[in-house]
Amino acid sequence: MVSVWLLLAVPVFASAATVTYDFNITWVNENPDNAFERPVIGINGQWPLPIMTATVGDRVVVNVQNHLGNQSTSLHFHGLYMNGSTEMDGPVAATQCPIAPESKFTYDFNITQPGTYWYHSHDSGQYPDGIRAPLIIHDPDSPYKDQYDEELVLSISDWYHDQMADLIKQFISVTNPTGAEPVPDAALFNDTQNLTTPVQPGKTYMFRIVNIGAFAGQYFWMEGHTMRIVEVDGIYTEPAEADMIYLTAAQRYSVLVTTKDDASTNFAYVASMDEDLFDTIPDSLNPNVTGWLVYDSSVPNPAPALLDSFDPFDDFNLVPTDKEPLWDRVDYSFNLDVAMNNLGDGANYAFFNDITYIRPKVPTLYTALSSGPTAFNSTIYSPDTNAFILQKNQVVEIILNNNDPGKHPFHLHGHSFQAIVRSEEEAGNYVGNETFPAIPMRRDTFMVRPNGNFVIRFRADNPGIWLFHCHIEWHIASGLVATMIEAPDVLQQTISIPRDHIDSCIAEKLPTEGNAAGNTVDLFDLSGAHKPPPPLPAGFEARGIVALVFSCLCAFLGVGVIAWYGAGEIGKKEPVTGGDTAETAAAAAAAADGESR
Ligand SMILES: *[C@@H]1O[C@H](CO)[C@@H](O)[C@H](O)[C@H]1NC(C)=O
Ligand SMILES: *[C@@H]1O[C@H](CO)[C@@H](O)[C@H](O)[C@H]1NC(C)=O
Ligand SMILES: *[C@@H]1O[C@H](CO)[C@@H](O)[C@H](O)[C@H]1NC(C)=O
Ligand SMILES: *[C@@H]1O[C@H](CO)[C@@H](O)[C@H](O)[C@H]1NC(C)=O
Ligand SMILES: *[C@@H]1O[C@H](CO)[C@@H](O)[C@H](O)[C@H]1NC(C)=O
Ligand SMILES: *[C@@H]1O[C@H](CO)[C@@H](O)[C@H](O)[C@H]1NC(C)=O
Ligand SMILES: *[C@@H]1O[C@H](CO)[C@@H](O)[C@H](O)[C@H]1NC(C)=O
Ligand SMILES: *[C@@H]1O[C@H](CO)[C@@H](O)[C@H](O)[C@H]1NC(C)=O
Ligand SMILES: *[C@@H]1O[C@H](CO)[C@@H](O)[C@H](O)[C@H]1NC(C)=O
Ligand SMILES: [Cu+2]
């Protein structure tokens, strides 16, 4: 009798396990591309970081200690819905204060979904300094569990030799009026290169592939082997054969790969950074990283063949296995029009609907919790957070028009969404004459093409504060962020903020109540809120700055900057940090960083 009871009890316990991680976050030195050693952000003295794993139904507890000494931090668990626990989502200024140096902070949440995810810092553009790694949620009920022998996680990323704090200063600067993004120095697999993956003949492997990079989309292919896509950003799909896939920053795929019966040859697999994203391509740049399926370690690993062009699988054609039909009755539809432009400090910023995101002083969630019925008025979150109020269970549609010649991968926190339109490049704004798929593809990160558009839909069934932003870390820093305020009335009834989260605000001297400016008396008085730099003076076009700066730069950098300040009106700056005196373009840039302190 006892043993039968145990047999029955074990699975019940297993599905309710608590998985605890203790993460001591510190600097360590690493040289992943064998070209430059640099400080990177490690966990428990190690880098690459540990891959987090859990099973659907588990509770995950992450005890963070920030021992970086000179930077704050946070952790976001990319793609997890955080049902009932939006306060554990991680983006600084949206759902928490930064975790101050020498502070502790606990993330505690339930896992309600299977799939391939990742975790990363969501503070001050910090994750490309190394604080990013895969997060895998196993599923005892996976429709594909009997179709593979073994699973292998594979991260792909771009890599910089310089640190983000320095690169962001250079990026958002009067000396970079066109907004050219820093170009990565290398590409990595699993935070290294020349990766060898031992495989056995005649087996099927499930590769869980995650782009944990800062900027570059990656083409990925395996020589001599076909991939069968079965999962995309946590959504199971009908098997789809692909010779090549494209992963934007933050996207994930699970692919089944069946090995050959003959074990006499090893095969290369390759990732190649999408150079369309780079304004300039340094001669020294190798955009490629290679790994090998090693059938026999005693035979050589062949160099990969060079391709002339890339023809990746179009993710728009994927079909979720659950066949969730199109949300065809829309309750709330709005546009987000993307543009890049200069502000009065001469630097280049990114805009949704002419607004560049500026972090609020009070985390948006804390404003929602402390504002009673006024939580439904978006003004209190500050116009500069691009706040949209969603009512519980509304079907929400976002029409995104990209008035910029770049590709942008957009990510929605707290949801996956149906992707129902994606135009070709140069199609202009959405005109509304498309036929929608009956069973749309769903994922949490989706790319818009240059000067094109897309339309996505989701159901507001997950009360929380959820950011919607481009996942190119440069563009978060320059303001391409909007905020979804989903069912604030439900949040007020269900969410309470743990003591250690409040303590982080106290350590950073940040208010925890009131509107975006920390005003608790008059919620509509936003005086003292962080503001963007002023617009360009009337009649002064962005092209003028570019011409001015470049002509000056050509002459002499120092003289150029003096000439810039001499240009009068244009150089005039307004305080951006409420009382701070450091009025450099870099300070404006830091204040404009949605995730910055
Ligand atoms: C965290 O790491 C730092 C640096 O190695 C060390 O000084 C500190 O004792 C560690 N803390 C814990 C709790 O392990
Ligand atoms: C990988 O191999 C290439 C070619 O041999 C070499 O240039 C590069 O340094 C290697 N990378 C690492 C991380 O060892
Ligand atoms: C923080 O510390 C690291 C490691 O010592 C150092 O390389 C980096 O320059 C510092 N960064 C800042 C912004 O102070
Ligand atoms: C997590 O699951 C436990 C056990 O089912 C439940 O008691 C708790 O309320 C859940 N937490 C959240 C935030 O939903
Ligand atoms: C990547 O690294 C992880 C962690 O070390 C390892 O489990 C995995 O097998 C590696 N992936 C491949 C494809 O070699
Ligand atoms: C990178 O790979 C692509 C595709 O094979 C190839 O066209 C390109 O020449 C490679 N670049 C370098 C520097 O090897
Ligand atoms: C929000 O409050 C402002 C100021 O009181 C008011 O002008 C505006 O109409 C309100 N908006 C909504 C949607 O109620
Ligand atoms: C929609 O309208 C645009 C512009 O008028 C046209 O170019 C496009 O072909 C139309 N698409 C469909 C599916 O009818
Ligand atoms: C969690 O939130 C997602 C996203 O809105 C929703 O689809 C799902 O039903 C929720 N799951 C649970 C268990 O509440
Ligand atoms: Cu972008």
Side-chain angles (χ1 to χ4, degrees):
M1 276 318 282
V2 169
S3 58
V4 170
W5 182 84
L6 275 177
L7 281 174
L8 290 174
V10 165
V12 174
F13 271 161
S15 69
T18 298
V19 181
T20 304
Y21 287 95
D22 294 318
F23 282 174
N24 184 2
I25 300 182
T26 65
W27 292 101
V28 296
N29 288 317
E30 293 291 339
N31 182 1
D33 61 352
N34 191 30
F36 189 79
E37 185 176 90
R38 52 158 288 179
V40 306
I41 298 179
I43 288 180
N44 301 337
Q46 295 197 324
W47 192 90
L49 304 187
I51 294 174
M52 288 179 69
T53 59
T55 301
V56 181
D58 285 353
R59 172 184 174 199
V60 172
V61 177
V62 188
N63 298 307
V64 174
Q65 293 197 39
N66 177 4
H67 284 289
L68 290 171
N70 62 0
Q71 289 184 11
S72 63
T73 191
S74 84
L75 290 182
H76 167 57
F77 306 88
H78 181 116
L80 296 191
Y81 298 143
M82 292 286 161
N83 297 74
S85 55
T86 186
E87 77 279 16
M88 302 296 174
D89 193 42
V92 163
T95 61
Q96 66 168 81
C97 291
I99 308 174
E102 305 315 316
S103 289
K104 296 182 184 179
F105 192 103
T106 296
Y107 294 95
D108 184 345
F109 49 90
N110 292 337
I111 302 286
T112 59
Q113 63 197 122
T116 307
Y117 303 92
W118 59 304
Y119 67 98
H120 62 81
S121 165
H122 218 298
D123 183 18
S124 307
Q126 182 183 58
Y127 82 75
D129 285 332
I131 180 166
R132 76 277 185 287
L135 185 173
I136 307 299
I137 308 298
H138 289 118
D139 180 8
D141 300 323
S142 163
Y144 292 107
K145 65 174 185 293
D146 299 328
Q147 296 192 25
Y148 59 88
D149 299 294
E150 203 181 312
E151 72 172 52
L152 296 165
V153 179
L154 177 65
S155 74
I156 312 180
S157 72
D158 47 23
W159 186 247
Y160 291 89
H161 292 164
D162 294 328
Q163 292 180 33
M164 289 302 282
D166 299 327
L167 290 172
I168 289 172
K169 275 184 209 148
Q170 293 161 24
F171 170 57
I172 304 176
S173 159
V174 63
T175 59
N176 183 30
T178 61
E181 298 82 4
V183 175
D185 295 294
L188 305 177
F189 275 138
N190 269 7
D191 290 321
T192 184
Q193 295 175 334
N194 310 316
L195 181 67
T196 52
T197 305
V199 293
Q200 290 172 354
K203 286 202 165 184
T204 299
Y205 293 84
M206 185 166 83
F207 284 80
R208 294 180 178 269
I209 309 170
V210 190
N211 185 342
I212 61 174
F215 179 24
Q218 302 268 2
Y219 297 98
F220 176 82
W221 66 99
M222 290 180 164
E223 294 194 344
H225 295 72
T226 301
M227 298 179 276
R228 261 182 303 150
I229 300 167
V230 294
E231 180 226 322
V232 57
D233 296 359
I235 306 294
Y236 292 118
T237 66
E238 298 288 305
E241 292 213 344
D243 290 326
M244 178 183 283
I245 56 177
Y246 181 91
L247 299 93
T248 72
Q251 286 185 332
R252 293 90 62 206
Y253 284 84
S254 284
V255 300
L256 300 180
V257 176
T258 299
T259 50
K260 299 185 180 299
D261 292 328
D262 166 14
S264 63
T265 316
N266 300 332
F267 291 85
Y269 57 88
V270 186
S272 186
M273 296 193 284
D274 179 359
E275 294 184 314
D276 287 358
L277 290 154
F278 306 158
D279 285 31
T280 53
I281 301 170
D283 290 340
S284 59
L285 178 67
N286 182 353
N288 305 325
V289 59
T290 307
W292 285 274
L293 300 176
V294 179
Y295 285 80
D296 181 346
S297 58
S298 69
V299 303
N301 294 327
L306 297 183
L307 309 182
D308 299 330
S309 62
F310 300 101
D311 185 18
F313 183 89
D314 185 350
D315 60 338
F316 194 76
N317 297 325
L318 292 167
V319 179
T321 52
D322 63 14
K323 305 276 165 63
E324 181 185 270
L326 172 75
W327 297 111
D328 56 1
R329 190 181 54 83
V330 173
D331 299 302
Y332 180 34
S333 175
F334 58 91
N335 282 38
L336 289 175
D337 294 344
V338 175
M340 302 282 177
N341 219 326
N342 299 80
L343 287 177
D345 63 352
N348 195 277
Y349 293 86
F351 302 80
F352 279 137
N353 302 344
D354 297 327
I355 291 172
T356 187
Y357 179 94
I358 300 293
R359 77 196 153 94
K361 278 189 176 161
V362 177
T364 301
L365 173 62
Y366 299 0
T367 296
L369 294 181
S370 61
S371 53
T374 315
F376 279 96
N377 188 309
S378 64
T379 308
I380 65 171
Y381 306 100
S382 158
D384 299 315
T385 63
N386 255 316
F388 292 85
I389 312 282
L390 314 183
Q391 315 279 342
K392 180 99 209 284
N393 284 332
Q394 274 182 330
V395 173
V396 180
E397 175 183 82
I398 299 178
I399 298 168
L400 185 135
N401 294 313
N402 181 13
N403 300 315
D404 176 79
K407 300 174 184 172
H408 301 276
F410 286 97
H411 170 48
L412 177 62
H413 289 221
H415 293 273
S416 46
F417 46 76
Q418 296 185 340
I420 66 170
V421 172
R422 174 167 54 198
S423 79
E424 294 304 320
E425 61 183 77
E426 306 303 329
N429 288 355
Y430 176 62
V431 294
N433 59 355
E434 310 274 345
T435 311
F436 306 133
I439 300 170
M441 189 274 273
R442 300 202 307 280
R443 63 187 315 166
D444 63 43
T445 307
F446 189 52
M447 190 190 81
V448 69
R449 297 196 170 108
N451 289 109
N453 62 71
F454 72 50
V455 182
I456 61 172
R457 289 182 182 171
F458 62 97
R459 195 184 223 357
D461 58 1
N462 192 17
I465 304 300
W466 308 120
L467 293 185
F468 177 81
H469 62 87
C470 176
H471 217 293
I472 290 176
E473 200 64 348
W474 308 117
H475 299 165
I476 301 188
S478 64
L480 204 47
V481 182
T483 312
M484 304 299 131
I485 316 284
E486 184 168 331
D489 47 344
V490 179
L491 297 179
Q492 290 174 0
Q493 288 151 20
T494 56
I495 301 291
S496 56
I497 303 300
R499 185 68 232 175
D500 60 332
H501 292 209
I502 298 293
D503 287 346
S504 304
C505 301
I506 294 169
E508 293 274 293
K509 299 191 173 55
L510 291 168
T512 55
E513 288 181 333
N515 66 17
N519 193 330
T520 54
V521 179
D522 179 357
L523 291 173
F524 294 107
D525 177 4
L526 286 161
S527 53
H530 298 311
K531 296 298 292 171
L536 282 174
F540 199 93
E541 286 186 33
R543 267 185 298 143
I545 302 180
V546 178
L548 177 66
V549 170
F550 281 127
S551 60
C552 296
L553 278 176
C554 289
F556 180 61
L557 179 64
V559 176
V561 174
I562 292 162
W564 170 255
Y565 283 96
E569 270 296 281
I570 319 149
K572 212 164 80 188
K573 293 188 194 66
E574 112 178 358
V576 287
T577 49
D580 264 357
T581 46
E583 289 310 318
T584 59
D593 175 359
E595 307 180 315
S596 120
R597 304 172 50 184

